[in-house]
Amino acid sequence: MCYEYAKNYSDWRIFAENLGSIKTKCSEYILDYSKSMYACGNVSFPTFSCYNESGKTLTLDDWVWRRKDNENDFSFDSEAEKKWAEILKDIRSASILQTSSELFGNKFLWGKNFPFNSEIKFEYYLDGNVHSSYPDFVMKDKKGQIHIFEVKSVNKSSQLNIDEDEYAKKVKALTNCYLECSRKTNHIFYLPIQDKSQWQITVLKNGEKNTIGIEQFIRGLTE
């Protein structure tokens, strides 16, 4: 008994003395997403979800969701998110007009990823903790390619006061996470950032990163 106690105490003391080094090694491993990240398989929108009502609404009847009361007004968390929904709506309309793909079952689908009950999430590491990211929108284009969007904005308002340093750290962490996600899933990930009325769009595809403008983005999905 005394021997076992002494042995366990010694192990604990060694662990405590090396705790800082252990944390560093753990962080390095997690941040190497090529080793620590794995895909859980195919997931999709849940059969039902919910959202919070807000003044940022858009009338939509051409996406994956339907309200139980049959109304077509849907709320969004921010003006940037609402604006991006308008862009995706217009892209779908333009694409469907140019193709007969819907007649052959390859539909152009898109919708907001409401976090409630959603399995569409990705984990990233920041400031010593693992965080969950629920991207804002998911879209399947006329070719069957999956596009995933996490919408951001640097516009300040009375309701939103941005800590620029913290914001930049989060965007960098998400970018690194989505970069590896794009390699493991073959989906295309986007970080559209609204600055006033302009968009800067980081595209993460097959493990490579590019930055494009809104015109190039729309052209690539409608032509």
Side-chain angles (χ1 to χ4, degrees), residues 198-210:
Q198 302 298 312
W199 290 94
Q200 176 180 288
I201 305 167
T202 299
V203 185
L204 307 155
K205 180 179 180 180
N206 297 327
E208 296 183 358
K209 181 176 73 170
N210 292 292

Side-chain angles (χ1 to χ4, degrees), residues 107-206:
K107 296 183 178 180
F108 193 118
L109 302 171
W110 73 286
K112 177 169 168 53
N113 182 34
F114 295 107
F116 182 75
N117 277 349
S118 179
E119 295 179 340
I120 304 174
K121 71 173 183 177
F122 303 88
E123 293 184 340
Y124 65 98
Y125 194 70
L126 178 63
D127 292 337
N129 294 295
V130 176
H131 303 264
S132 293
S133 168
Y134 292 87
D136 296 309
F137 298 99
V138 179
M139 181 179 72
K140 177 184 176 183
D141 68 20
K142 59 189 178 184
K143 299 178 182 177
Q145 176 70 60
I146 301 298
H147 305 260
I148 297 174
F149 307 92
E150 175 68 27
V151 181
K152 299 296 181 185
S153 173
V154 295
N155 294 337
K156 295 183 178 181
S157 67
S158 57
Q159 293 80 29
L160 183 63
N161 187 19
I162 298 173
D163 184 319
E164 294 182 3
D165 291 338
E166 291 297 319
Y167 189 85
K169 283 173 57 179
K170 182 174 182 179
V171 169
K172 181 179 179 181
L174 283 171
T175 300
N176 291 336
C177 170
Y178 286 158
L179 193 65
E180 184 62 28
C181 288
S182 73
R183 184 181 290 113
K184 292 186 181 297
T185 65
N186 293 320
H187 303 332
I188 305 176
F189 291 76
Y190 303 81
L191 280 165
I193 300 178
Q194 187 181 44
D195 186 356
K196 298 181 176 61
S197 62
Q198 302 298 312
W199 290 94
Q200 176 180 288
I201 305 167
T202 299
V203 185
L204 307 155
K205 180 179 180 180
N206 297 327

